[in-house]
Amino acid sequence: PESPVLLESGVRTTEDGETLVIDDLRLRQAPWVRIDGSAEFALGSETGLRRMVLKLAPADLGQLHQRYLAPVLVSPLLGALAMDGRVSGELRQTGSAAPRVQVRLDDVDILDNTDAARFSVEGLSGAIALGVPGAAGELSWRSASVFRFGIGGAVLALRFGDREVALAIPATIPLLDGSLDIDEFSVGWREPSPDVSFDAVLVPVSM
């Protein structure tokens, strides 16, 4: 039988009646999801969220994708993915400011299950920090492929801005018996389209 969803929290208002406080928020669906958090909402003349913190304990990414993401994904590409590994994370929101999201991946495998086998990645690990200016992160993987074209393992050191992620130091990604040497890479989320900067050299591979 399907495991029930359990939601518990303490709810109170401050003595002046101006703030609704949610303490010790706990959301559980064993054994897949464990989320803890807290929040405050203004109740005075200007109502709205003051702060919120949600923490996802290490969870099975394959089960999260299968149970919660795949059924609602309308993209055939995303819906056809198979995932394995562990993920944890934290979301912090203060007022109307952009949320700060931190995600930790641990030995994640992602495979496109379509006949085209568009891409795959094995052993993806690292930390991502979105909306956290000045934060440092890292992504690494053991192997990957694009349309069955093999890509070797690599480590990318990253730095994060308010709406930007960039390569912190040059990186090398093995391709067959050559490599892609990346000096600069960054993506900024701008309107109306992302701002991408890329500077790399392809070291020739034997054919």
Side-chain angles (χ1 to χ4, degrees), residues 46-68:
E46 296 184 4
T47 60
L49 176 69
R50 285 184 174 169
R51 67 162 189 86
M52 178 175 63
V53 178
L54 297 175
K55 297 181 179 181
L56 171 66
D60 185 322
L61 181 58
Q63 290 290 344
L64 294 183
H65 178 259
Q66 179 181 345
R67 292 180 172 275
Y68 306 110

Side-chain angles (χ1 to χ4, degrees), residues 121-169:
V121 60
E122 295 183 1
L124 180 65
S125 298
I128 302 170
L130 303 178
V132 187
E138 181 180 281
L139 282 179
S140 64
W141 60 89
R142 287 193 300 272
S143 64
S145 67
V146 176
F147 291 104
R148 298 186 173 88
F149 182 82
I151 300 172
V155 178
L156 305 181
L158 305 172
R159 68 172 185 275
F160 296 90
D162 186 21
R163 297 176 61 86
E164 181 183 56
V165 57
L167 195 64
I169 58 176

Side-chain angles (χ1 to χ4, degrees), residues 92-187:
R92 290 182 177 269
Q93 176 84 47
T94 302
S96 59
R100 298 187 171 194
V101 180
Q102 295 180 290
V103 178
R104 178 77 193 181
L105 303 173
D106 185 13
D107 201 22
V108 169
D109 298 335
I110 303 174
L111 173 66
D112 172 22
N113 267 333
T114 64
D115 292 339
R118 287 165 287 196
F119 68 92
S120 68
V121 60
E122 295 183 1
L124 180 65
S125 298
I128 302 170
L130 303 178
V132 187
E138 181 180 281
L139 282 179
S140 64
W141 60 89
R142 287 193 300 272
S143 64
S145 67
V146 176
F147 291 104
R148 298 186 173 88
F149 182 82
I151 300 172
V155 178
L156 305 181
L158 305 172
R159 68 172 185 275
F160 296 90
D162 186 21
R163 297 176 61 86
E164 181 183 56
V165 57
L167 195 64
I169 58 176
T172 297
I173 300 177
L175 299 176
L176 296 179
D177 58 348
S179 65
L180 180 66
D181 296 344
I182 307 173
D183 291 327
E184 178 186 353
F185 176 76
S186 65
V187 178

